[in-house]
Structure formats: structure tokens, C-alpha cells
Amino acid sequence: MALPSFNWWGKGSHKGTPVVVTMENPNWSMVELEAPSESDFQTSTVTQEKARGKNAKQLTWVLLLKAHRAAGCLTSVASTLFSLGSTIRRRVISGQTDNNDSTPSTENKTVKTRFYNCIKAFLWLSLLLLGFEIAAYFKGWHFGAPKLQLQYIFTAPFGVRDLFDGLYTRWVLIRVGYLGPPLQFLANVCIILFIVQSLDRLVLCLGCFWIRFKKIKPIPKQDAIVDLEENGFFPMVLVQIPMCNEKEVYQQSIAAVCNLDWPKSKILIQVLDDSDEPTTQLLIREEVHKWQQDGARIVYRHRVIRDGYKAGNLKSGMSYSYVKEYEFVAIFDADFQPAPDFLKRTIPHFKDNEDVGLVQARWSFVNKDENLLTRLQNVNLSFHFEVEQQVNGVFINFFGFNGTAGVWRIKALEESGGWLERTTVEDMDIAVRAHLHGWKFVFLNDVECQCELPESYEAYRKQQHRWHSGPMQLFRLCLPDIIRAKISMWKKFNMIFLFFLLRKLILPFYSFTLFCIILPMTMFIPEAELPAWVVCYIPATMSFLNILPTPKSFPFIVPYLLFENTMSVTKFNAMISGLFQLGSAYEWVVTKKSGRSSEGDLVSLVEKETKQQREESEPNLDETKTDILREQKSRQKKHNRMYTKELALAFLLLTASARSLLSAQGGLELGWLPNENFGRRGLAESSVHRLLSSRFRF
């Protein structure tokens, strides 16, 4: 059977009706197919026209749908911005800012807002200059065209130009002649300080690498270990736990200290409670009584007159007559949980080392991964212990006492004058005075003591304020004693220049001045320049070195840079207040704790709380429940605060970055004018000044 021709299929000019192939039987015979007729072609043409019309309608609907979605996005963005603005306005009106802090403070409000007013004035000035520069950009003061568009300024009489051109020309002259040189000088000074501090940081890192490479660490003498393990020679140790209104953590710290592996007859625990809340006093007193019934040698001490903050509390604990029977004193803050073998790993370092006055252990943190703030704090404190404390302890035998997780020889405390209430850094004060009396310090990087990090920015900022204002107070008081001390010139240089000036004063000064003041000013006054290696390369390298002790924090290197830039405001303000004895220099606020513990402590605490609830009477339980409910209600009323100084600084840097983008698009920057207009490339600023002055005489 002859098959029909299928050439019409290959032409492809028209499409006919669908062709169906029917398989009648297993022999795969095919039914004869007829070719499409002319009527089929006419029908397909009409169908195509209908399909085109349908496709056009579908495209229209798609475009309308996308336009509707875009309008919805714009509406949602507008509503979000409106709600954000309403929230900011509501918080400002209700006083939910750091300027309206409800925490009791001895700081004068005038002093407290003075620094913020300076930043705010600088912010408004930068906004005014940014608007001025944008207007000048659209008026033609830029290099948008191949030829300099300022040429008409030099070829036309002054009367033809409008008032804005005259004002901007005067501003350019003031920049070149009066603002640029002093700003460049200040920038050069800060760059020198920055280089010196970076070299110090690099030397510390090299020292840490050397310690790791040589595996250097303090090792107690063998006979000291033998005396403890075989001969059973245990010296008398006094343990002090100072606390103040810290009901979140008192149980775990008392439990950890009472579980220290030391003969009970050779240890006495003092709980030095400065709490002014009756409920907290009752809870701590009952906890001490419970451990007394379990056989622990522990006493509760509460001061009626609470002078001198922590220093006064420790001083009162050392004033009892029975303290003379003890040779060493270990100090732990309320949130610290020493391991059971803490004393066995620290006390042997005093054996046959009569000049050792302090053995300091390293801190570890139970909540270092709680949020971004705790992760960034862990970076700073890990570098402090791993690099600064360890290097100074190995090579100099001097470092600042961290205030807790350390063991003092009581003789060293007494010879150094004991605890003094003259500053808010009593730990650094006693360390400096002990070093001036010839005592040496030992830092143990492999002995850790668990503690907590502040989990809120408010608590962390107040802690950093105390840590950076106190050293400046102490420097003013100790400088004459350091100069008169009978120690080597190297030790005097190390203590005055490296310990105080470079690491306590210069570091916060240049961090804020260089990166938060001078850098934004160079955007508006481009005649003063900062090299790229100062702005980018060295800070990135220093941040890289800071994160080396915590390799897991490398993904947070960019937030760490921004975090340090933000904290420079608080640190600089604290440094200035401590140096010039302003109202906030003597402010002491106890860092808020959340009561977090290690996994092992949580189990024991649950068992102890269950046992305590069975032994407590019903009235005490009712009072405790009432206090807990009241505390929960107060926590529910708390809101996130707006920190005005940090926000003002952020907007200041934002305006400076906008000015930088304007310069990148062709904004006027004298000193690199093109040769098409002035005959040579790189016309000097003095030449521009002469040209402008000769054309416009003011």
C-alpha cells in the first residue's frame, strides 16, 4: 500500500488539526491518514489570532499583578517606617532612652548630657554641611564633565554669580587656609599614637606566640605538690565572696566555694553581703545557714554602713581578729564558680616563692554564645587573658589584678596598705601598690574560673564605664608614688607609659578621636587626608590579631569592628571623666547578672532547690513567690532602650559616608584639578587659593 506524502508537515508554515495514530492490532498496521484541507488552515489562523489576543490579555494581567505587588511593598515599607518613627517618638516621650535611666546614679545630669550635646551639635553641623555640598554639586561645583565646570567662576565677574557661589567660594577658601592644616596636624598626631599602640599590640602577640612555641608556663616547685598530696600540708586559706543585691547568682557561687577540695579545718568562707534589699539579705542568710548545717565553715557578714563599695566591703572582711590566723585569701565575685581543685592548683605557686604576692586565674564564660554581644565580649576578654595578662605575667611579673578568681598572700596586702576606697578600680589599685613594694605576680592561663558576661548592652556599657574611668583616677593618684618608688627605670617606664598612658589613655583617645571625629571631618574637609592603611589595613590586621585567641569568632570580625567603633564613645567618655574627675568618675553600678550556670551545676542546683523548698516554711514560700511575681511583672514592663550617644554617632558617620559618595561622584576636592583647565596636572592648593583670591576679593 502506497503511503501518502507528508511534505506538508516539514514546511512548517501552518499547523493543521491534531493527527491521531491508531494501533489496530499487534502487527502495528497504520490507518491511512488524510492530509489537512484548506478549511483546516483557515481554522488554525483564526485560532492563532484568538491566542494572540488571549496572550495580550494575560500579559496585561501579569503587569497589573506585578504593579499591585510593588505598590503593596511600598505600602508595607511606608507603614514600617511610620511604625518605627512612632515607636521612637513614643520611647523618647516616655523616657526610654539612656538619658532617662531609672537606675540610681550619683552622676550629675549636666555632666551626663554634656558629651551627648557635643556629638549632637557635631551631627547637626555635618548635616548642614552635607546639604551645602549637595547644593554645590548640583550648582556645578564638580568634575562631572570632561572639562572643569569651575572655569566659568574664573572667567566671569563676581557680580554675575549668585550669592550661593560666593558663599561656597568663601567656604573653600576657609577649608584650604584655616581648617585643613590644623585638622591634618591633629590627624598626623593620632596616626602616630595609632602606630605606637599597634606596635605594642603586635609585640604582645609575638610574645604570646613565643610562649606557645616554647610551651612556657608557671610550674610550682615539686616539693610544694608533695607537701599537699603526700604530707598533707595545707596552709590556712580565707575565701571571700563579696556581693550586693545579686540574688540571681548567690546560690551557685556559695555552692561552688563550699565544694572546694580543701580541708574544712583549714578554710573559712566569708559571705560579705552589701545588699540593701531585705528579701535578698534573707535569702543569702538562709543559704549560708543551710551550708553551715552541712558542715561547711562559712559565715555571713552584712555591713550597716556601706561605704567604699567593693573595696570597703573587702576591707571590713579583713578587719576581724581571726584573719590573723590565715596566710592566704581567695576572692570570688558573686557570679564566679571555681572548680573544686582551684586552691590545689594555685596555692602551690606560693611555696618557696616568698616574693610572690598574687596568683591570678583565667576567666571562662558560661554564656559566651548567648547572643552577639556576649560573643564580642568573649573576643576582647580572651585576648586580654591569653595575650596581655599571660605575656606580662611571664616576662614582667606584673599585671592588673582582675578583682576576682585570684589568691593573695595576706602579708602582701598588709604591706601594700590594704584595700582603699579612693577609686572604683580597687583591684588595680592594690596591684599597683603591691608591685611598687616589690611583690611579683603569677598568671595561670590553664586554670579557669567560670563566670558570666553581661547579656544586655545597658549592663555592659556601665561596666565598661567603670573599667575605663577608674584607671585614670588611679593614674592621677599613683603617679607621684611611681616616680618616688625604689624600683628600676624600666619598671617605672612600663607602669607609666605602657600600663597607664598607652593602654588606658591613648587607646580610647585615638579610637574615638581618629575614627569617630577626624575621619568624618576629612570627608567634609578633603584637604586633610587619612591614608588607606590607617583607615582599613591596620585596623583590619589588629582585629585579626584580637580574634586569634578565639578562632571560632572569625565569622564575627566585621561586627567586631563595628562594635569596637561604637564602644569607643563610652570608653572615651569614661576616660575623660576619670582623668578630669567629673561627676560620673565615682559612679559604681553593680553589673546585672542573669544567673546562668554550667550544665553540671544546674543539676545540683535543682536538687538543692527541691530540698530547700521542702525545708522552708509556708510563709517564706509565699513571700518568695510574691517577690518572684513582682519581679516578673517588672521585667515585662521593660523595653529596649535607645542609646542616644551611639545613635547620634551612627548618624554622624552616615552623613560622612554620604559626603564620601558625593566625592566619588565628582565632588570638589582641591589638590587634584585636571590639566585641561589649569595647564598642569595636580595643581597645588596654594595656586587654587591665589586664583580664587584674585578673582573674588572678600
Side-chain angles (χ1 to χ4, degrees):
M1 180 181 64
L3 294 176
S5 176
F6 288 93
N7 291 333
W8 59 271
W9 188 279
K11 294 180 180 179
S13 59
H14 298 283
K15 291 184 180 179
T17 57
V19 177
V20 179
V21 179
T22 304
M23 302 298 178
E24 291 184 345
N25 50 44
N27 294 328
W28 302 96
S29 62
M30 300 184 67
V31 180
E32 184 177 358
L33 301 176
E34 296 182 357
S37 63
E38 295 182 358
S39 60
D40 293 333
F41 288 117
Q42 293 176 357
T43 304
S44 63
T45 304
V46 174
T47 304
Q48 289 179 359
E49 292 178 354
K50 291 181 179 181
R52 290 172 183 172
K54 186 178 180 180
N55 292 337
K57 291 181 180 180
Q58 290 177 349
L59 179 61
T60 303
W61 281 108
V62 170
L63 293 177
L64 289 175
L65 181 60
K66 290 185 177 181
H68 181 267
R69 290 180 179 177
C73 292
L74 292 177
T75 305
S76 62
V77 170
S79 62
T80 302
L81 293 176
F82 179 77
S83 61
L84 179 61
S86 301
T87 303
I88 294 174
R89 181 175 176 273
R90 184 170 60 254
R91 290 185 180 181
V92 171
I93 293 176
S94 61
Q96 296 176 15
T97 63
D98 55 343
N99 290 331
N100 303 96
D101 196 352
S102 59
T103 305
S105 176
T106 59
E107 184 179 0
N108 190 346
K109 291 185 177 180
T110 304
V111 177
K112 186 176 181 179
T113 58
R114 187 178 301 165
F115 187 54
Y116 168 62
N117 289 334
C118 293
I119 297 179
K120 188 166 62 174
F122 194 22
L123 172 61
W124 284 112
L125 179 60
S126 64
L127 290 173
L128 178 63
L129 291 176
L130 179 61
F132 196 40
E133 294 289 346
I134 292 175
Y137 179 83
F138 287 105
K139 290 285 290 184
W141 293 76
H142 59 89
F143 299 115
K147 294 187 178 181
L148 181 64
Q149 297 186 16
L150 284 174
Q151 189 173 3
Y152 72 99
I153 296 293
F154 298 102
T155 58
F158 179 73
V160 178
R161 304 268 60 85
D162 56 10
L163 178 62
F164 180 84
D165 292 329
L167 290 176
Y168 193 78
T169 305
R170 185 187 294 271
W171 164 241
V172 172
L173 288 173
I174 294 174
R175 270 170 31 187
V176 175
Y178 300 100
L179 299 180
L183 181 60
Q184 186 66 59
F185 174 77
L186 182 60
N188 293 337
V189 172
C190 289
I191 289 173
I192 294 174
L193 298 178
F194 177 49
I195 293 174
V196 173
Q197 198 277 331
S198 300
L199 290 176
D200 173 66
R201 185 64 56 92
L202 181 60
V203 170
L204 288 175
C205 292
L206 292 176
C208 182
F209 292 150
W210 181 258
I211 291 174
R212 283 197 172 190
F213 179 72
K214 291 294 185 179
K215 298 181 180 180
I216 302 174
K217 69 175 185 178
I219 300 176
K221 295 184 178 180
Q222 189 63 30
D223 57 348
I225 301 177
V226 172
D227 286 341
L228 287 178
E229 296 179 353
E230 299 180 4
N231 300 333
F233 175 75
F234 294 90
M236 300 289 286
V237 179
L238 176 68
V239 181
Q240 294 180 328
I241 311 177
M243 57 180 63
C244 180
N245 298 326
E246 296 171 283
K247 58 177 174 289
E248 299 86 0
V249 293
Y250 73 95
Q251 281 185 313
Q252 58 200 47
S253 61
I254 293 176
V257 172
C258 289
N259 288 321
L260 287 173
D261 188 9
W262 203 258
K264 293 183 179 181
S265 60
K266 299 290 185 178
I267 186 174
L268 176 65
I269 303 169
Q270 286 182 330
V271 178
L272 306 176
D273 182 24
D274 259 5
S275 304
D276 55 4
E277 299 175 357
T279 304
T280 305
Q281 295 178 22
L282 178 62
L283 292 174
I284 298 175
R285 193 188 299 270
E286 290 181 353
E287 183 71 14
V288 171
H289 180 67
K290 184 186 69 174
W291 282 100
Q292 287 176 343
Q293 292 180 341
D294 290 343
R297 294 190 64 205
I298 182 172
V299 294
Y300 175 84
R301 296 289 182 263
H302 179 74
R303 291 193 302 165
V304 179
I305 302 176
R306 300 169 55 250
D307 294 334
Y309 302 112
K310 182 180 177 181
N313 198 5
L314 293 173
K315 185 177 180 180
S316 68
M318 299 295 295
S319 62
Y320 295 97
S321 58
Y322 56 77
V323 176
K324 297 180 180 178
E325 302 175 2
Y326 294 86
E327 186 177 357
F328 305 102
V329 54
I331 302 172
F332 301 100
D333 282 350
D335 60 317
F336 278 72
Q337 307 165 47
D341 61 346
F342 181 87
L343 294 179
K344 288 187 174 181
R345 299 180 66 183
T346 54
I347 296 296
H349 290 272
F350 291 98
K351 178 67 175 178
D352 296 332
N353 292 319
E354 298 299 327
D355 55 350
V356 174
L358 167 67
V359 175
Q360 173 72 59
R362 177 176 178 167
W363 299 358
S364 61
F365 311 104
V366 297
N367 60 338
K368 61 183 178 180
D369 297 325
E370 181 64 24
N371 52 41
L372 181 60
L373 178 62
T374 57
R375 291 177 185 272
L376 300 180
Q377 292 180 67
N378 182 46
V379 172
N380 277 336
L381 290 175
S382 297
F383 181 86
H384 169 70
F385 287 107
E386 182 84 14
V387 180
E388 294 179 344
Q389 297 289 78
Q390 184 175 209
V391 171
N392 290 328
V394 170
F395 295 104
I396 306 178
N397 296 121
F398 167 71
F399 48 83
F401 174 46
N402 293 116
T404 178
V407 182
W408 277 94
R409 191 188 295 271
I410 295 181
K411 181 180 178 181
L413 290 177
E414 294 174 348
E415 288 187 359
S416 304
W419 300 104
L420 299 180
E421 306 96 330
R422 57 182 182 175
T423 68
T424 58
V425 284
E426 75 293 329
D427 45 6
M428 186 180 296
D429 188 2
I430 189 64
V432 170
R433 287 184 282 116
H435 184 63
L436 294 180
H437 282 78
W439 292 98
K440 294 181 179 180
F441 303 160
V442 175
F443 178 77
L444 303 179
N445 191 55
D446 56 342
V447 179
E448 297 183 356
C449 188
Q450 290 188 338
C451 63
E452 282 190 17
L453 291 167
E455 296 182 5
S456 66
Y457 181 72
E458 179 182 1
Y460 177 67
R461 191 178 65 158
K462 291 179 178 179
Q463 180 196 69
Q464 292 299 305
H465 187 278
R466 185 177 77 248
W467 286 4
H468 285 81
S469 64
M472 291 298 98
Q473 305 172 29
L474 183 62
F475 180 65
R476 290 169 55 97
L477 297 172
C478 288
L479 183 59
D481 297 333
I482 296 174
I483 296 175
R484 293 193 300 263
K486 297 180 180 179
I487 56 177
S488 63
M489 293 299 297
W490 158 245
K491 291 184 177 181
K492 291 183 180 181
F493 172 80
N494 172 69
M495 187 171 290
I496 294 176
F497 181 73
L498 296 179
F499 185 75
F500 278 112
L501 290 180
L502 186 60
R503 298 167 189 166
K504 310 299 181 184
L505 189 148
I506 292 178
L507 177 59
F509 172 77
Y510 88 77
S511 297
F512 176 76
T513 306
L514 182 61
F515 296 105
C516 299
I517 299 297
I518 296 179
L519 180 59
M521 289 182 68
T522 56
M523 299 296 103
F524 296 100
I525 306 175
E527 289 73 25
E529 297 180 352
L530 288 176
W533 54 269
V534 172
V535 179
C536 300
Y537 303 134
I538 293 185
T541 304
M542 293 299 105
S543 299
F544 177 80
L545 294 177
N546 284 0
I547 295 182
L548 280 181
T550 53
K552 294 182 180 180
S553 300
F554 272 105
F556 305 99
I557 186 169
V558 174
Y560 177 74
L561 279 169
L562 301 176
F563 173 73
E564 287 298 298
N565 197 23
T566 302
M567 286 307 301
S568 64
V569 182
T570 298
K571 295 176 181 179
F572 179 81
N573 186 24
M575 184 269 294
I576 293 296
S577 63
L579 186 63
F580 297 102
Q581 302 294 297
L582 301 180
S584 61
Y586 295 96
E587 181 183 14
W588 180 288
V589 179
V590 178
T591 305
K592 295 181 181 179
K593 312 295 192 307
S594 60
R596 301 188 182 276
S597 305
S598 61
E599 295 181 359
D601 293 332
L602 286 175
V603 178
S604 60
L605 283 178
V606 169
E607 296 176 354
K608 292 174 184 176
E609 287 178 357
T610 305
K611 181 180 178 182
Q612 183 181 6
Q613 288 178 357
R614 294 175 181 175
E615 296 176 353
E616 286 179 345
S617 61
E618 291 298 328
N620 289 337
L621 285 175
D622 294 338
E623 292 179 1
T624 305
K625 290 179 180 179
T626 304
D627 294 333
I628 293 174
L629 291 175
R630 188 183 301 119
E631 184 179 356
Q632 289 178 350
K633 290 181 180 179
S634 63
R635 288 182 178 178
Q636 291 176 357
K637 294 180 180 178
K638 291 183 179 180
H639 300 278
N640 292 328
R641 293 186 177 273
M642 294 195 321
Y643 297 94
T644 52
K645 288 193 292 292
E646 287 80 356
L647 288 175
L649 179 63
F651 281 112
L652 172 62
L653 297 177
L654 185 61
T655 55
S657 63
R659 175 62 179 87
S660 177
L661 290 176
L662 189 65
S663 299
Q665 294 298 323
L668 177 61
E669 294 188 14
L670 300 180
W672 53 282
L673 302 179
N675 56 356
E676 291 89 346
N677 301 277
F678 299 101
R680 62 179 180 178
R681 187 175 183 84
L683 183 63
E685 295 175 0
S686 59
S687 302
V688 176
H689 186 275
R690 288 197 300 271
L691 287 170
L692 290 173
S693 300
S694 63
R695 192 60 194 165
F696 307 109
R697 301 187 182 279
F698 302 100

